[in-house]
Amino acid sequence: MVGKEIPDSAIELVAKHINTRSNKNHNIPIIGQEDNVETPQIFEIIPFDQIDSSDHNFYAIDGSYNSEQFYNGLAIGIYAAGYICFRNGLQVRMNSLDDPIVLGQAYYPQNILITHQSHLGDIYDELLTLEPVKNLLSFTSDNPENIFPYGKEQICNNLSTLLGFCQEVLEIALILEIINRVETKSGDFILRDGTLRPLQIKQEYLVKIGEYAHQNGVRVIAVTKKSPLKMELAYTFKQIDNYLQDQLKSTYPFVEKIPKRQKLCCWFEVPDVVLKAAYQGDMFIKKAIKGGRGFGLFIAARLDYVEKLQNYDWLLIDVNIFDAIPKIKERNLERDAETLNLILKELTRLTQEHYILGYPYPLSEVHNFISLKRNFKEEIIARLKYSLYKDQRMDNVDIENLFIDTHDRF
């Protein structure tokens, strides 16, 4: 078996590395200070029976891509991105369809066939014609050559790189589309899976979007469950959890009187020392609107408490840096703790039901809505075979030969 060929020494080395990093003490105090947001800021979760009483729109964006290459040089590649919206706990329609089930807005390309390298360029060109991306280019008032850090030739070097680029750019364009929707108002939230610092668009243009969102009072937030920061902060999370549950909870002046619903939430800005330990280089982690990437500020947050899971329900949240540091353009780096508290508390409306306690359910819903990961190959081949037979009148044997996969016979 392959597993037997891996040396024990290699496994032991990995285990040692994980143990060392996950038990690192960064000296973050467990008792917070109100005037220092790099220490735990503790608050009571919004009561369960009030989570749907807000009239804010909670949008969620996600994207996906997938591809399949066949033995005869035929390849199919597709990307997608879209969004959904919840208001008062119910999903509301974002499209003009009559479908009673599909309420979200999604965008897909027409060019999905690749038989020659030039077809990658066609996919790139089509991306720029999609309505959200056209509006993004108009908003930035610049050319793609200046907006994107990589040229068309580099992006189209291979299919996977191209599809990832298209998905990311489309997702960012959807932030702008949502801000400009007629139903969007000040106080609304736009959630995105990941961070607010993608590599596919230069920082100055991302900052422009962040500032525009802030001016319109729309909270743009990225949420991720996976991050090297979680390993760096594992020890800290455990210490804070123990303090909240074993010491503070028994004396905290809860508004909620039902003991099983009494939950303490917590957030803190991730300090520089932790960022530097988790990431190499300083561009990704820089807390600035120049010389870095994107327009985010990393916050560690626990938005629910799941017994016996402890640090698994901590999230890394990238908040709009203009919401967190509203006078950053004037080089005033004072944090707006009141706004950050409001944002984090409002998010607890989304973390108490559905899929994963502690994780905003609109992001789970939009992932299921837009994902191309599950059964992509089977579905796309079945639809192609049907179209070749029905619309193109191809012989059934010829169709089957097109899609032979020798790996399936091993």
Side-chain angles (χ1 to χ4, degrees):
M1 293 177 62
V2 174
K4 296 292 185 181
E5 297 176 0
I6 301 175
D8 288 343
S9 58
I11 299 297
E12 292 168 4
L13 189 62
V14 171
K16 180 180 178 181
H17 176 79
I18 292 173
N19 181 59
T20 300
R21 287 192 62 187
S22 61
N23 284 286
K24 192 181 296 185
N25 184 0
H26 286 286
N27 296 315
I28 296 173
I30 60 173
I31 300 177
Q33 304 168 18
E34 287 188 11
D35 59 348
N36 182 3
V37 296
E38 289 188 352
T39 64
Q41 307 297 305
I42 298 162
F43 62 95
E44 181 179 356
I45 201 168
I46 290 179
F48 183 77
D49 56 1
Q50 297 178 25
I51 58 177
D52 295 333
S53 62
S54 170
D55 65 348
H56 294 320
N57 290 309
F58 292 95
Y59 297 94
I61 297 172
D62 200 9
S64 184
Y65 74 88
N66 211 329
S67 62
E68 188 67 34
Q69 187 162 359
F70 304 96
Y71 85 104
N72 55 10
L74 173 69
I76 298 168
I78 187 170
Y79 63 90
Y83 55 91
I84 60 173
C85 179
F86 281 84
R87 186 188 309 123
N88 300 125
L90 299 174
Q91 190 174 348
V92 295
R93 183 172 295 279
M94 293 286 100
N95 59 51
S96 57
L97 304 175
D98 295 327
D99 194 311
I101 304 298
V102 179
L103 303 179
Q105 176 65 52
Y107 293 91
Y108 302 89
Q110 291 290 318
N111 291 318
I112 65 172
L113 174 67
I114 303 99
T115 61
H116 188 272
Q117 187 72 14
S118 64
H119 290 163
L120 300 180
D122 295 337
I123 293 174
Y124 176 94
D125 292 338
E126 183 188 9
L127 171 72
L128 304 185
T129 68
L130 295 181
E131 198 62 29
V133 180
K134 282 170 58 179
N135 293 334
L136 174 64
L137 297 177
S138 176
F139 174 78
T140 58
S141 302
D142 213 332
N143 299 318
E145 295 78 14
N146 296 327
I147 299 170
F148 306 140
Y150 309 105
K152 178 179 177 181
E153 194 172 300
Q154 290 174 285
I155 295 167
C156 296
N157 185 52
N158 64 66
L159 181 57
S160 179
T161 299
L162 171 62
L163 295 177
F165 167 83
C166 292
Q167 173 198 326
E168 195 85 64
V169 170
L170 185 53
E171 284 188 46
I172 296 301
L174 292 181
I175 294 176
L176 189 63
E177 175 168 300
I178 293 172
I179 295 172
N180 290 329
R181 287 189 68 108
V182 293
E183 46 285 66
T184 303
K185 58 189 182 303
S186 179
D188 288 350
F189 283 69
I190 300 175
L191 309 181
R192 179 176 188 256
D193 184 36
T195 71
L196 297 179
R197 42 195 99 199
L199 300 176
Q200 288 77 5
I201 299 178
K202 291 180 181 177
Q203 185 182 28
E204 63 179 291
Y205 303 100
L206 292 169
V207 165
K208 192 173 181 181
I209 295 173
E211 186 174 20
Y212 182 66
H214 175 72
Q215 291 169 347
N216 284 274
V218 179
R219 312 300 191 188
V220 181
I221 298 159
V223 180
T224 183
K225 301 183 296 296
K226 298 179 179 179
S227 169
L229 288 170
K230 293 195 74 171
M231 184 173 290
E232 287 295 327
L233 289 169
Y235 175 85
T236 300
F237 291 159
K238 183 177 180 180
Q239 298 304 309
I240 295 174
D241 276 335
N242 289 340
Y243 167 70
L244 296 183
Q245 292 302 116
D246 299 339
Q247 299 181 50
L248 186 60
K249 187 175 181 180
S250 60
T251 61
Y252 193 86
F254 285 100
V255 174
E256 174 62 65
K257 299 307 178 186
I258 302 175
K260 68 178 182 180
R261 292 185 177 178
Q262 293 177 342
K263 296 180 179 181
L264 292 174
C265 298
C266 178
W267 67 270
F268 60 89
E269 179 184 332
V270 180
D272 286 344
V273 63
V274 180
L275 292 170
K276 291 176 181 177
Y279 297 102
Q280 297 296 321
D282 61 354
M283 284 189 65
F284 189 79
I285 65 176
K286 197 168 185 180
K287 300 177 179 181
I289 56 175
K290 291 183 179 180
R293 291 179 182 164
F295 60 102
L297 185 74
F298 277 127
I299 301 289
R302 196 196 68 196
L303 304 179
D304 201 330
Y305 186 82
V306 186
E307 207 71 46
K308 298 181 181 179
L309 289 184
Q310 294 185 347
N311 65 318
Y312 289 105
D313 56 326
W314 283 82
L315 302 173
L316 270 302
I317 296 177
D318 219 10
V319 299
N320 186 347
I321 200 166
F322 288 98
D323 291 337
I325 315 174
K327 295 182 180 180
I328 191 170
K329 290 188 75 172
E330 290 81 49
R331 298 184 180 180
N332 181 343
L333 302 183
E334 182 180 356
R335 273 49 171 175
D336 187 345
E338 184 178 349
T339 293
L340 288 172
N341 268 315
L342 171 66
I343 289 173
L344 274 298
K345 186 158 189 171
E346 281 295 298
L347 286 181
T348 67
R349 296 184 185 276
L350 313 175
T351 59
Q352 301 182 56
E353 57 183 1
H354 289 256
Y355 298 91
I356 308 171
L357 288 176
Y359 183 77
Y361 69 80
L363 286 172
S364 296
E365 292 280 2
V366 75
H367 176 77
N368 292 333
F369 167 59
I370 207 69
S371 178
L372 296 168
K373 305 294 184 184
R374 298 174 180 174
N375 302 321
F376 166 81
K377 179 180 178 181
E378 293 80 2
E379 179 184 350
I380 203 75
I381 291 176
R383 292 177 62 185
L384 273 171
K385 285 181 177 179
Y386 180 74
S387 181
L388 289 169
Y389 180 79
K390 177 178 177 289
D391 302 323
Q392 306 302 319
R393 307 295 183 186
M394 280 186 64
D395 179 79
N396 186 57
V397 174
D398 292 339
I399 293 173
E400 291 299 325
N401 285 336
L402 276 174
F403 297 100
I404 288 176
D405 189 345
T406 54
H407 290 91
D408 289 342
R409 302 183 179 185
F410 289 170

